[in-house]
Amino acid sequence: MANLTDLVNLDLGDCTDKIIAEYIWIGGSGIDLRSKARTVKGPITDASQLPKWNYDGSSTGQAPGQDSEVILYPQAIFKDPFRRGDNILVMCDCYTPQGEAIPTNKRSKAAKIFSHPDVAAEVPWYGIEQEYTLLQKDVKWPLGWPVGGYPGPQGPYYCSAGADKAFGRDIVDAHYKACLYAGINISGINGEVMPGQWEFQVGPSVGISAADEIWVARYILERVTEVAGVVLSLDPKPIMGDWNGAGAHTNFSTKSMREEGGYEVIKKAIEKLGKRHAEHIAAYGEGNERRLTGHHETADINTFKWGVANRGASIRVGRDTEKEGKGYFEDRRPASNMDPYVVTSMIAETTLLL
């Protein structure tokens, strides 16, 4: 007699040409992820082969009950690490039945920016460092912390090993491998300064694909933590006090920055970012004022400054970039709960189109 695990792990490849496509979209808060599955004929090699679909937007805070239909447009596909086989994850964005992007669809505007000839010609690369915190399910307190209490002060936890310092490594490693399986360009992971906090990096990825990959990597992390019975938090300052917050540092370069003389291009781009500091801060994530205090490796939210190897700056330039006269810079302002469609396209718009 088959048990539940046997049935969940059934290999359908020998008995049908049908596959399961898990359609993923961003919910009404602009940060929550929703998904549902449908059967399609496989194999699927491109999102354009998939049909549009719809969902009840009144149940996600994205449409009124009397006109609740929201249309899903498939945009990017990834291998499904949970069902495996030819099954896929599908990143979608959301439109009204009339074809207008709904307010929480930030991908639509980003796609227009990235398709602009002046942006496309510069082949913008992004490397995004997604920090997050793992919480104990029933008490919403960081993993590894005594309930209602605190661990020892920060210092021994960053990139640490040991049962008294590194909490949740199995979850982190499972997510890492699942992302690699899915085809996400995940480039690394590490334990962070606050215990129970971790980071994964995606990139370098070109243009809008960086944002697609971050969203699907977040979805996979939600699913892994669901299995583990742990809660994922993208709050930029989950614990107040002398504890590091959580960001999504965004590394950026263009073709011109990567070529000889690129350092001068980088400095001009940073100057442009400084002139639009307030606009960027407003778009870089909710609650970021609790994180950008000028302490714990941040610049004050109202101050724009840049520096070489300065983790207390708004924009950090690496020593290698300075030495080689070309490379990339890191925007340290985005919060962990930022929308990568907004952040990546805004950096491109400010530095290349204004």
Side-chain angles (χ1 to χ4, degrees):
M1 176 68 70
N3 59 31
L4 188 59
T5 301
D6 294 332
L7 295 173
V8 167
N9 293 325
L10 271 178
D11 182 1
L12 303 178
D14 295 334
C15 59
T16 180
D17 61 356
K18 302 292 181 64
I19 66 166
I20 302 171
E22 189 79 27
Y23 280 46
I24 304 164
W25 71 94
I26 299 160
S29 71
I31 189 65
D32 61 309
L33 285 160
R34 310 291 180 115
S35 74
K36 62 177 183 174
R38 69 180 298 167
T39 306
V40 296
K41 186 175 181 179
I44 298 292
T45 58
D46 190 85
S48 62
Q49 298 173 264
L50 291 163
K52 296 173 185 176
W53 205 9
N54 65 75
Y55 67 92
D56 172 16
S58 69
S59 295
T60 61
Q62 293 170 295
Q66 64 271 22
D67 187 15
S68 65
E69 192 168 284
V70 179
I71 311 302
L72 292 168
Y73 286 35
Q75 299 291 359
I77 62 170
F78 301 85
K79 292 173 64 179
D80 186 338
F82 304 101
R83 296 188 176 103
R84 289 169 286 187
D86 289 332
N87 302 301
I88 55 174
L89 304 177
V90 185
M91 190 65 210
C92 304
D93 59 354
C94 305
Y95 296 81
T96 67
Q98 292 74 39
E100 297 177 1
I102 66 172
T104 50
N105 178 359
K106 307 302 183 186
R107 193 187 192 282
S108 177
K109 180 182 177 182
K112 293 175 183 176
I113 291 171
F114 284 118
S115 64
H116 190 288
D118 293 347
V119 176
E122 283 290 345
V123 195
W125 288 3
Y126 295 89
I128 301 174
E129 305 169 28
Q130 176 69 69
E131 295 178 340
Y132 60 94
T133 308
L134 298 174
L135 304 178
Q136 301 170 57
K137 181 180 176 184
D138 296 325
V139 294
K140 302 295 177 68
W141 199 239
L143 200 66
W145 290 35
V147 176
Y150 297 86
Q154 295 184 154
Y157 308 108
Y158 173 70
C159 295
S160 64
D164 59 341
K165 294 181 288 292
F167 310 116
R169 188 183 299 277
D170 285 352
I171 294 168
V172 175
D173 208 42
H175 172 253
Y176 193 176
K177 291 179 179 178
C179 285
L180 286 170
Y181 180 95
I184 291 168
N185 190 24
I186 187 169
S187 47
I189 56 99
N190 61 267
E192 269 302 332
V193 178
M194 189 184 86
Q197 188 182 91
W198 294 81
E199 172 185 302
F200 67 87
Q201 303 95 30
V202 166
S205 297
V206 178
I208 204 165
S209 64
D212 286 335
E213 290 179 9
I214 281 286
W215 274 117
V216 176
R218 286 176 175 178
Y219 174 80
I220 292 172
L221 186 53
E222 288 278 17
R223 290 282 302 275
V224 171
T225 53
E226 174 188 322
V227 173
V230 170
V231 174
L232 168 65
S233 172
L234 296 181
D235 190 301
K237 187 72 173 181
I239 304 293
M240 297 305 293
D242 194 17
W243 305 98
N244 276 34
H249 302 155
T250 302
N251 299 275
F252 174 71
S253 72
T254 63
K255 185 173 182 287
S256 297
M257 293 176 189
R258 297 187 293 268
E259 295 176 342
E260 294 301 321
Y263 195 36
E264 292 304 312
V265 180
I266 288 171
K267 288 193 284 188
K268 290 177 182 177
I270 293 173
E271 183 180 353
K272 290 181 178 181
L273 289 169
K275 291 177 180 177
R276 295 191 75 204
H277 178 62
E279 292 94 327
H280 278 256
I281 287 293
Y284 273 17
E286 295 294 324
N288 213 9
E289 72 283 351
R290 293 182 282 116
R291 169 180 162 262
L292 297 180
T293 61
H295 303 288
H296 303 109
E297 303 181 53
T298 69
D300 179 82
I301 194 168
N302 297 311
T303 303
F304 182 87
K305 61 181 180 179
W306 74 278
V308 177
N310 183 358
R311 282 180 162 76
S314 312
I315 305 291
R316 180 184 69 86
V317 174
R319 290 279 182 210
D320 286 346
T321 294
E322 180 189 41
K323 181 180 178 181
E324 295 174 12
K326 59 184 177 180
Y328 69 96
F329 65 80
E330 174 193 46
D331 191 339
R332 297 179 60 80
R333 298 171 295 172
S336 50
N337 60 3
M338 63 83 162
D339 186 329
Y341 293 129
V342 173
V343 169
T344 57
S345 63
M346 196 171 192
I347 292 172
E349 180 183 47
T350 297
T351 59
L352 296 173
L353 298 180
L354 299 180

